Amino acid sequence: MSAVIDSHHDDHHHGPAKGISRWLYTTNHKDIGSMYLWFSLIMLFIGGAMAMVIRAELFEPGSQIVSPEFYNQMVTNHGLIMVFGVIMPAFVGFANWMIPMQIGAPDMALPRLNNLSFWILPVAFGILLSTFFMEGGAPNFGWTFYAPLSTEYAPPTVTFFIFSVHIMGASSIMGSINVITTILNMRAPGMTLMKMPLFVWSWFITAYLLIAVMPVLAGAVTMMLMDIHAGTSFFKAGGGGDPVLFQHIFWFFGHPEVYIMILPAFGIVSHIIETFSRKPIFGYSSMVYAIASIALLSFVVWAHHMFTVGMPIAGELFFMYSTMLIAIPTGVKVFNWLSTMFKGSLTFETPMLFAIAFVALFTIGGLSGIMLAIAPADFQYHDTYFVVAHFHYVLVPGALFSLLAGAYYWIPKWTGKMYDETLGKVHFWMSFLSVNLTFFPMHFVGLAGMPRRIPDYAMQFADWNMMVSVGAFLFGISQLLFLFIVLKCIYNGKEATNEVWEGAKNKGFEWTVDSPAPYHTFSSPPSLESLKTSS
Amino acid sequence: MFRAIKYSLSLLAALTANFSFGAWSDLNMSPGVTQLSQEIFGLHMTVFYVCLAIGIAVLLAMAFILFKYRKKEGVKPADFDDSTALEITWTVLFALILVVLAVPATSVMIKAYDNEEGDINILITGHQWKWQYEYIEDEVGFFSNLSTSLDKRNNLAPKDKNYLLEVDEPLVIPTNTRIRFLITANDVIHSWWVPDFAIKQDAIPGFVNTGWTYVNEPGVFRGQCTELCGAYHGFMPIVVKAVSPDEYSAFINEKKEAKIQQALLTEKLWTVNELMEIGEATYQKNCVACHQVGGQGIPPVFPALVGSEIVMRNKARQIEILMEGVQGAAMASYSEQLTEVEIAAVITYTRQAWGNADSGDGKIVIPKEILDYKTNKL
Amino acid sequence: MSDSSYYVPESSKLPIFMAFGLLLFVLGASFTMNNWGEEGSNAHWLLIASFAVIWGVMFFWFGSVINENDSGLYSGQLNQSFVWGMAWFIFSEVMFFFAFFLALGYVRLFAVPWLGGEGEKAITNILWPGFEAAWPLLVTPDNEQFPGAHHSMAIPEISKLHTWLPFWNTLCLITSSGTIALAEAGLRKGNRTAFKLWMVATLTLGYIFVFLQGLEYYEAYSHMGLTLGAGIYGTTFFLLTGFHGFHVCLGAIILTIMTIRGFGGAFSHHDHFGLAAGSWYWHFVDVVWIFLVLVVYIF
Ligand code: HEA
Ligand code: HEA
Ligand code: CUA
Ligand SMILES: [Cu+2]
């Protein structure tokens, strides 16, 4: 931005504006990144509070604190908020902060669009949450909103839900266009695609996934809207449609969506592991190819969520095989991380602890994914807590841990202050223990036959459920500690050095600039050579 | 810490105790009672052990690396950053493991999809929130409702072993017979799951899915609806009773007999009290889920019947609602699910109970009127 | 790459107003739909207000982009950002249509045959005795609730082709893709007269298309019994052609604005990204139409 901005409005360009208007009108990637991150943290507490309601209701058999109707609203909104309101915006926040810094760009390519992408998110979620106070209550048909439960049998607030999904989609699409454009067009001289940091690569591919599937989701909710309000029959057998058509369209979006929630995590974790191993990442190019293959495969596996809808057998087999294939590129990544640590010089600061836990626990979640992929066995697993266990393992100690790891890793760069390492470690160990206590026993109740999305259950599931609930409460409290650590860091942290981590030498442009990173990072594009010689 | 120990111990127990299924029945899948379910169970165990082995290998390797290569004074980290040979090795290794898994999976899949007709064909229809069973060849059928009392659900009475897994009328099937289930739904998607048969098939409104079973030994098998189908999704269990073929014939004959009796009943002269008694029972079984015990409903979704215009003064419309349901609302048609007597009785009950008779016209409805409604429609 | 400098606009009020406009839109649209037909509902005013806000913001937004460009703030690199941005936006639109094509393919290949007792789930037909699979689907499984159309929109025999509106529509759109290319070529050569002429031709063809499409809908509703409620055939017909038509309208609006600007002297032979973007959009609409004619009308 530099030169031009400087020459045109030289007077007030070196720092942010003051007050609320700074945040409302900003076009700065760091401001917008921070807003995304705060937004997602707030949403984590809202979605997490809903999870606490779920766990309180399931603490014991019998009706506990909420009615079955409200329970369904809790489950639905918990899922929606965690997926669309926590994980995705948080990764976009990281993208905003880190991509320009890592590729040496002055800002995102389309800054005003960037601001718009963020500010429509609170609109979307404000509307979604306001349905709790409307006649008929909030959406109650699961985050997968299968028709006709979500069309002919839905509460009237489904209309608000549909439009709010449209807006979330628009936000993601605009955000991805911005990411792609930035990466294609704004890299520092000499940074070829195969020299880009892995986080940038992971987001590059994620952005393509988003652009490809969010419009399909928009199509799906549009069809719902038409079925509800215009008398069409996409999902009505009586008119020649099929409720299962909805599932095909939804999962065509939905499966790539789950990788959207994990690929950037792979990127973050790769950086952390190489930094704290004090070694270069192992197999850089196979890491890139692995991400790309996962993304490509993700378009042809969607019906593994639908093994029980009565597909023709050819379909069952095809989707079983294609799903299993994903284990190969993912395994490559896991082994590459291990090899990066192999013969390294490892230290275990909080980001590294979370990253290691990510690798270990994501592997567990991935392996249960492989079990689910075995179609005949999935007849027994499907829609039980075994599935719930699987996806929480990949999402909570997976995606969420990677976010925590990334936050600890980069927060000194963002704020210029160090977080409290001791508290960070306490946070890690509390989270690590309680996350397993919460989600591991879910495998058992799932195999023993407990269906998901039920507010009350048979006696034989009682013991494990109580343990799960206890674990969940502990995990919830642990995240309050995280909030405290962040606030303490911002208001009361020690000054951080520019390089922050001993192992960060040579590990990217972000470590060559001041801490906190200046409001406008690069006044002239840095060169890759400068990175090499700075070590 | 104590919990962590207890937890890891039970985990250990889970992993080592596979030779005695009984002991870990609440940790693992049940092998079930049909050949298919046992094959699926075997497949599950195979996949599980393979994944367990991979998991342990990865975690052990990781633990080793973390310990061995932690930062030590004077030890410099290596700086290699790839090894094509290694990478090819493990890629091939993963592919081989997957092939090993895919082979048995495919063969079990083919068995599960055997789509021959059954000796007995049963049409299963999911409704919000109950199952309907119709024996296609014998033209008899009935509904199967959750029978656990509200008191138990609200923690006012002690819960017992089959809490939430008991129904008023189980599905009865004969042993040693090939049975084919035709599964569909009437409103939203449900899913019919009996773990012991390894059948889980979604019930899609307007479409028919199939599943089959062959049970060798008599027994009672329980399952649940496994697709979110609305507020009471957690409360539509499945109970299947497998009996000897003789007992089965007796059961079917009894059903046929009852059907004839029912037709006769509508001819009888009814007293208000008789109707009220049947009506209250019917109401408790079928209507309380939405309209609540006291008839107050859960407005705005489920209207109150107390003080409802229709219930107090519009007999014709009320009959119509019960017979046809309300388009687009959860209020379904009861003309198939309930007998003429029950429908008449439940209408009478709602028109009399909760003071409705005092403020409304208090008209009662007799089974003959329902029968007339049906015949006139035809 | 970034040889010169990259312009980063100072803070801007436009996006937050746009977000506000979208808020109004969602509330307006949802309340309007939910209260449809109810007495005394004023929700549609909210909707109208939202359009005013959204269009207003767009006007100022594009206006400021144009001004910034005119005052020479934009580098070649920044223009490249717009190019990528527009390209991937169009890609996202393609995927939106993909969902509807997917739906059409699925019902034709699977759902309708199954309902009619063909294919692997033929058993489904026990629920719909007497229903037969056909396409175009004129008799639906539940023909009482979803009364099918009397006639389909399918292509007639060759001799009657000239009475078939989609034929003229196709002609219009394909030609207009050519005329807009000519307009661009004219501009690039600095021949402004040719540019303006071909733009007007393009617009005329575009508006004829919209008019004919409207005529066709009128025919469908008033004479053929083909409505949104006519089962899956009407559903897919109207939604596919409808969304396409909606995009044609958008494209036509964009091109109208470009034409007006062109007459006002905007665009130079080397700097006319706005026009180029509009023309890509137009080509995209054209390509979608070709697919649409194939699967909706012909096969
Ligand atoms: C971040 C999100 C995320 C990720 C990464 C994954 C990853 C995977 N998922 Fe998961 N999944 C979800 C989120 C995710 N999933 C969600 C949210 C649902 C439920 C949605 C709902 O219904 O609400 C779901 C449901 C789901 C189902 C449907 C279950 C059902 O409803 O019946 C299936 C079935 O195949 C499945 C499979 C897989 C597979 C095979 C992977 C693979 O990508 C995993 C690959 C990883 C590994 C295998 C581990 C590492 C590899 C090695 C160490 C190499 C060696 C291994 C072998 C050779 C086997 N997932
Ligand atoms: C990224 C996604 C994500 C994340 C992070 C989580 C986090 C959690 N989830 Fe979530 N979950 C989903 C995605 C996610 N979930 C999805 C997609 C579904 C499926 C929905 C559907 O079926 O439609 C689901 C469903 C789901 C169920 C199944 C419900 C059912 O099927 O009936 C359960 C049950 O235990 C559950 C529990 C939890 C818990 C305990 C956490 C915890 O990790 C949450 C921890 C966070 C906090 C607790 C917040 C911080 C603290 C406070 C707010 C302070 C208050 C604290 C106390 C009072 C202790 N989730
Ligand atoms: Cu029926 Cu769930
Ligand atoms: Cu998936």
Side-chain angles (χ1 to χ4, degrees):
Chain A
M1 63 193 72
S2 51
V4 169
I5 288 180
D6 291 347
S7 59
H8 278 265
H9 325 263
D10 216 29
D11 30 55
H12 54 278
H13 265 100
H14 294 287
K18 294 272 173 290
I20 179 80
S21 62
R22 162 177 180 187
W23 304 105
L24 291 179
Y25 307 152
T26 184
T27 48
N28 180 286
H29 72 105
K30 301 194 180 74
D31 284 351
I32 295 174
S34 305
M35 289 197 294
Y36 266 112
L37 291 171
W38 280 112
F39 175 78
S40 117
L41 190 61
I42 293 168
M43 285 319 228
L44 173 69
F45 284 101
I46 298 178
M50 292 176 179
M52 297 299 115
V53 174
I54 295 175
R55 285 322 317 173
E57 177 61 39
L58 296 179
F59 189 71
E60 277 181 315
S63 167
Q64 304 301 326
I65 59 168
V66 295
S67 67
E69 290 85 3
F70 193 70
Y71 179 86
N72 285 348
Q73 299 177 24
M74 283 291 117
V75 172
T76 306
N77 288 278
H78 163 70
L80 287 169
I81 288 180
M82 288 301 196
V83 168
F84 294 102
V86 177
I87 306 294
M88 291 172 67
F91 281 136
V92 183
F94 275 83
N96 259 296
W97 257 102
M98 300 319 299
I99 289 178
M101 269 167 46
Q102 288 191 324
I103 64 174
D107 203 302
M108 295 293 277
L110 306 162
R112 278 179 293 227
L113 195 68
N114 201 13
N115 174 306
L116 180 60
S117 317
F118 171 75
W119 275 109
I120 60 180
L121 268 188
V123 168
F125 283 92
I127 288 168
L128 184 64
L129 288 173
S130 71
T131 56
F132 274 101
F133 307 101
M134 291 185 196
E135 195 176 305
N140 56 6
F141 27 65
W143 87 281
T144 51
F145 47 101
Y146 284 3
L149 187 61
S150 64
T151 55
E152 291 166 85
Y153 295 84
T157 50
V158 65
T159 316
F160 291 86
F161 160 81
I162 287 173
F163 281 109
S164 101
V165 170
H166 272 129
I167 304 261
M168 294 172 203
S171 164
S172 295
I173 291 171
M174 293 191 290
S176 321
I177 289 179
N178 223 332
V179 166
I180 292 181
T181 308
T182 309
I183 296 175
L184 281 177
N185 200 24
M186 307 203 33
R187 282 169 319 204
M191 184 177 279
T192 58
L193 285 180
M194 287 313 275
K195 282 187 185 156
M196 291 194 311
L198 281 174
F199 177 66
V200 178
W201 253 116
S202 67
W203 244 110
F204 190 42
I205 290 168
T206 304
Y208 279 113
L209 283 181
L210 277 167
I211 298 198
V213 301
M214 292 314 282
V216 174
L217 175 67
V221 290
T222 306
M223 291 178 203
M224 284 169 59
L225 189 73
M226 298 316 269
D227 266 15
I228 295 170
H229 290 295
T232 58
S233 41
F234 282 109
F235 311 132
K236 299 170 189 163
D242 185 348
V244 174
L245 169 61
F246 174 84
Q247 300 181 24
H248 282 290
I249 301 175
F250 178 85
W251 288 115
F252 184 86
F253 146 80
H255 187 82
E257 166 69 22
V258 306
Y259 291 125
I260 287 165
M261 293 189 284
I262 207 69
L263 295 185
F266 290 166
I268 295 177
V269 165
S270 299
H271 287 300
I272 296 175
I273 288 185
E274 72 173 336
T275 295
F276 294 96
S277 305
R278 293 167 180 75
K279 258 185 71 196
I281 191 84
F282 181 88
Y284 172 89
S285 40
S286 60
M287 285 300 221
V288 172
Y289 298 137
I291 299 180
S293 341
I294 293 173
L296 285 176
L297 279 172
S298 78
F299 286 107
V300 292
V301 300
W302 75 87
H304 65 214
H305 297 272
M306 302 164 57
F307 284 141
T308 63
V309 298
M311 267 188 293
I313 186 166
E316 303 266 326
L317 291 175
F318 171 80
F319 287 107
M320 171 168 87
Y321 301 144
S322 60
T323 304
M324 291 167 73
L325 280 182
I326 297 190
I328 298 177
T330 318
V332 166
K333 299 201 72 86
V334 170
F335 278 48
N336 280 357
W337 287 320
L338 292 185
S339 309
T340 305
M341 294 191 280
F342 185 67
K343 296 207 166 161
S345 175
L346 306 172
T347 51
F348 303 101
E349 287 86 346
T350 313
M352 183 62 166
L353 287 173
F354 274 106
I356 291 170
F358 171 93
V359 178
L361 301 184
F362 172 80
T363 302
I364 295 180
L367 291 170
S368 63
I370 293 302
M371 296 179 69
L372 292 168
I374 307 293
D378 185 64
F379 293 166
Q380 295 287 52
Y381 308 138
H382 176 68
D383 261 335
T384 66
Y385 263 74
F386 192 77
V387 177
V388 179
H390 156 66
F391 69 72
H392 280 94
Y393 258 88
V394 285
L395 283 168
V396 183
L400 189 62
F401 270 25
S402 83
L403 289 166
L404 295 171
Y408 282 112
Y409 183 54
W410 280 311
I411 209 171
K413 184 55 68 184
W414 298 338
T415 62
K417 311 270 183 59
M418 242 2 231
Y419 63 87
D420 183 327
E421 186 63 53
T422 320
L423 283 182
K425 289 210 166 96
V426 173
H427 173 219
F428 168 77
W429 284 109
M430 283 174 65
S431 299
F432 179 79
L433 292 175
S434 57
V435 89
N436 286 297
L437 189 57
T438 311
F439 298 117
F440 208 87
M442 286 186 180
H443 293 107
F444 302 145
V445 284
L447 290 176
M450 177 166 164
R452 59 191 281 208
R453 294 167 167 170
I454 56 175
D456 194 0
Y457 48 85
M459 299 307 284
Q460 79 247 38
F461 309 125
D463 296 345
W464 289 119
N465 265 294
M466 192 176 288
M467 185 177 285
V468 168
S469 289
V470 171
F473 299 144
L474 288 176
F475 187 74
I477 292 168
S478 318
Q479 304 325 305
L480 290 178
L481 179 60
F482 176 66
L483 181 64
F484 175 74
I485 295 173
V486 171
L487 293 175
K488 179 161 180 250
C489 169
I490 293 175
Y491 290 108
N492 203 9
K494 286 201 309 274
E495 297 289 313
T497 60
N498 290 355
E499 206 160 84
V500 185
W501 311 108
E502 190 194 33
K505 225 179 217 108
N506 236 337
K507 293 280 195 290
F509 287 139
E510 74 259 39
W511 307 113
T512 62
V513 302
D514 294 344
S515 296
Y519 196 56
H520 298 301
T521 326
F522 298 107
S523 46
S524 61
S527 79
L528 276 187
E529 303 311 314
S530 73
L531 194 57
K532 286 273 152 8
T533 50
S534 78
S535 57
Chain B
M1 204 56 218
F2 167 71
R3 199 169 274 115
I5 293 171
K6 178 177 159 200
Y7 161 68
S8 27
L9 279 183
S10 34
L11 183 59
L12 212 67
L15 301 179
T16 50
N18 70 316
F19 38 82
S20 60
F21 297 128
W24 65 319
S25 63
D26 57 346
L27 289 176
N28 193 11
M29 188 187 282
S30 108
V33 296
T34 65
Q35 203 197 344
L36 181 65
S37 74
Q38 279 153 9
E39 288 197 21
I40 289 184
F41 177 77
L43 180 65
H44 155 69
M45 290 314 291
T46 312
V47 186
F48 171 65
Y49 283 128
V50 169
C51 286
L52 184 69
I54 299 173
I56 290 181
V58 170
L59 294 187
L60 282 183
M62 197 161 159
F64 169 77
I65 292 172
L66 294 183
F67 182 75
K68 176 91 189 287
Y69 298 108
R70 65 191 192 282
K71 188 177 178 186
K72 284 174 234 138
E73 278 308 312
V75 181
K76 285 209 79 147
D79 67 349
F80 61 89
D81 64 0
D82 69 24
S83 157
T84 314
L86 259 181
E87 294 189 55
I88 292 179
T89 314
W90 62 54
T91 308
V92 172
L93 179 74
F94 300 156
L96 288 179
I97 298 176
L98 293 179
V99 172
V100 168
L101 291 179
V103 171
T106 308
S107 87
V108 176
M109 191 75 224
I110 289 168
K111 284 182 197 145
Y113 258 64
D114 166 4
N115 230 348
E116 296 280 293
E117 278 209 20
D119 300 329
I120 292 176
N121 293 286
I122 300 177
L123 180 65
I124 302 178
T125 310
H127 298 257
Q128 274 179 330
W129 290 280
K130 53 178 111 14
W131 292 101
Q132 178 183 16
Y133 300 110
E134 288 164 275
Y135 297 79
I136 294 181
E137 287 81 11
D138 294 303
E139 296 186 333
V140 292
F142 53 88
F143 280 79
S144 180
N145 290 280
L146 172 73
S147 62
T148 300
S149 72
L150 267 177
D151 278 357
K152 286 184 193 161
R153 279 152 65 182
N154 292 330
N155 312 311
L156 301 173
K159 305 180 175 57
D160 42 30
K161 193 165 138 276
N162 290 326
Y163 175 67
L164 292 185
L165 295 178
E166 51 199 349
V167 296
D168 52 0
E169 253 199 285
L171 173 66
V172 177
I173 58 169
T175 52
N176 296 315
T177 313
R178 186 180 155 101
I179 296 157
R180 186 167 70 152
F181 300 110
L182 307 179
I183 301 169
T184 184
N186 183 49
D187 32 46
V188 301
I189 302 179
H190 304 262
S191 187
W192 199 78
W193 184 32
V194 178
D196 282 326
F197 303 166
I199 299 182
K200 184 185 283 151
Q201 270 298 318
D202 289 1
I204 318 267
F207 288 80
V208 178
N209 279 330
T210 51
W212 61 272
T213 197
Y214 190 102
V215 184
N216 296 317
E217 295 296 324
V220 177
F221 310 104
R222 291 169 203 277
Q224 278 177 274
C225 175
T226 45
E227 183 61 63
L228 178 61
C229 52
Y232 296 93
H233 158 60
F235 305 93
M236 50 185 293
I238 296 153
V239 180
V240 183
K241 217 166 111 189
V243 297
S244 69
D246 287 345
E247 276 176 78
Y248 174 74
S249 317
F251 164 80
I252 289 290
N253 287 335
E254 202 181 293
K255 279 283 166 201
K256 285 184 175 159
E257 185 59 28
K259 202 173 155 192
I260 297 169
Q261 287 302 322
Q262 193 58 49
L264 293 177
L265 269 182
T266 50
E267 301 294 315
K268 168 178 178 301
L269 277 178
W270 291 88
T271 67
V272 178
N273 280 349
E274 281 170 325
L275 285 175
M276 284 295 281
E277 207 172 292
I278 301 177
E280 180 165 10
T282 312
Y283 186 84
Q284 296 300 348
K285 205 166 105 180
N286 294 285
C287 320
V288 285
C290 301
H291 296 292
Q292 306 296 306
V293 182
Q296 74 277 19
I298 313 175
V301 185
F302 304 120
L305 301 185
V306 186
S308 149
E309 264 310 300
I310 294 173
V311 179
M312 291 190 311
R313 271 177 285 273
N314 194 343
K315 190 171 97 174
R317 173 69 188 142
Q318 194 179 355
I319 295 178
E320 199 180 38
I321 289 183
L322 268 283
M323 298 301 286
E324 312 291 339
V326 179
Q327 257 293 316
M331 181 69 204
S333 155
Y334 282 87
S335 67
E336 304 264 306
Q337 311 181 18
L338 300 180
T339 63
E340 288 83 18
V341 177
E342 285 167 325
I343 293 183
V346 79
I347 296 180
T348 301
Y349 174 71
T350 56
R351 298 178 80 80
Q352 298 287 322
W354 320 305
N356 271 354
D358 307 333
S359 24
D361 59 15
K363 281 189 188 153
I364 66 163
V365 173
I366 55 167
K368 184 78 172 45
E369 289 176 79
I370 305 296
L371 199 65
D372 288 348
Y373 180 93
K374 272 192 185 170
T375 13
N376 287 342
K377 220 185 108 189
L378 289 178
Chain C
M1 298 203 154
S2 19
D3 40 292
S4 65
S5 53
Y6 198 89
Y7 173 70
V8 176
E10 184 48 4
S11 55
S12 164
K13 295 188 177 132
L14 291 163
I16 192 78
F17 279 102
M18 182 61 112
F20 178 70
L22 286 174
L23 174 68
L24 290 186
F25 170 75
V26 173
L27 293 177
S30 305
F31 278 120
T32 308
M33 289 185 174
N34 279 359
N35 302 347
W36 197 251
E38 264 172 44
E39 294 283 314
S41 160
N42 291 321
H44 54 283
W45 289 113
L46 214 54
L47 195 57
I48 292 169
S50 81
F51 286 128
V53 175
I54 292 174
W55 283 102
V57 176
M58 297 248 255
F59 180 79
F60 284 107
W61 195 317
F62 288 116
S64 57
V65 170
I66 292 166
N67 283 339
E68 286 159 11
N69 187 24
D70 288 348
S71 50
L73 290 175
Y74 289 0
S75 59
Q77 193 190 6
L78 193 129
N79 283 325
Q80 188 59 35
S81 290
F82 286 144
V83 169
W84 284 124
M86 188 67 196
W88 293 111
F89 168 67
I90 290 180
F91 176 67
S92 77
E93 293 269 52
V94 170
M95 291 309 290
F96 181 77
F97 277 99
F98 175 77
F100 288 86
F101 281 109
L102 191 80
L104 179 64
Y106 179 85
V107 292
R108 289 186 59 175
L109 291 175
F110 300 109
V112 171
W114 288 341
L115 289 164
E118 296 163 16
E120 288 201 43
K121 282 168 77 170
I123 184 88
T124 289
N125 196 237
I126 60 170
L127 299 176
W128 309 102
F131 171 70
E132 278 171 34
W135 194 268
L137 188 69
L138 298 183
V139 180
T140 62
D142 182 354
N143 211 42
E144 234 167 82
Q145 207 193 338
F146 301 98
H150 329 305
H151 300 286
S152 86
M153 286 291 178
I155 188 166
E157 67 234 51
I158 247 16
S159 61
K160 289 201 190 138
L161 204 60
H162 60 281
T163 62
W164 190 55
L165 286 178
F167 169 71
W168 296 106
N169 268 340
T170 312
L171 214 62
C172 279
L173 266 197
I174 293 185
T175 322
S176 72
S177 249
T179 53
I180 196 165
L182 288 174
E184 262 190 286
L187 184 62
R188 236 176 277 124
K189 283 200 222 99
N191 182 347
R192 292 197 73 90
T193 329
F195 160 62
K196 288 182 207 162
L197 228 88
W198 288 123
M199 281 308 283
V200 172
T202 309
L203 278 181
T204 316
L205 289 167
Y207 286 119
I208 293 179
F209 177 92
V210 173
F211 172 75
L212 290 182
Q213 194 73 359
L215 200 64
E216 187 177 47
Y217 283 4
Y218 172 76
E219 289 284 308
Y221 259 81
S222 57
H223 302 312
M224 305 173 106
L226 183 62
T227 64
L228 281 168
I232 196 67
Y233 178 61
T235 299
T236 49
F237 171 78
F238 280 110
L239 274 256
L240 273 164
T241 57
F243 274 112
H244 176 264
F246 173 69
H247 283 81
V248 174
C249 291
L250 275 185
I253 294 174
I254 299 176
L255 291 187
T256 307
I257 296 172
M258 297 305 159
T259 312
I260 294 173
R261 287 182 57 208
F263 273 87
F267 306 127
S268 66
H269 65 279
H270 63 269
D271 184 8
H272 51 261
F273 175 69
L275 178 74
S279 111
W280 296 342
Y281 199 78
W282 198 251
H283 293 312
F284 147 71
V285 168
D286 195 19
V287 173
V288 172
W289 176 256
I290 291 171
F291 275 104
L292 213 144
V293 169
L294 291 179
V295 301
V296 173
Y297 293 102
I298 296 187
F299 294 111

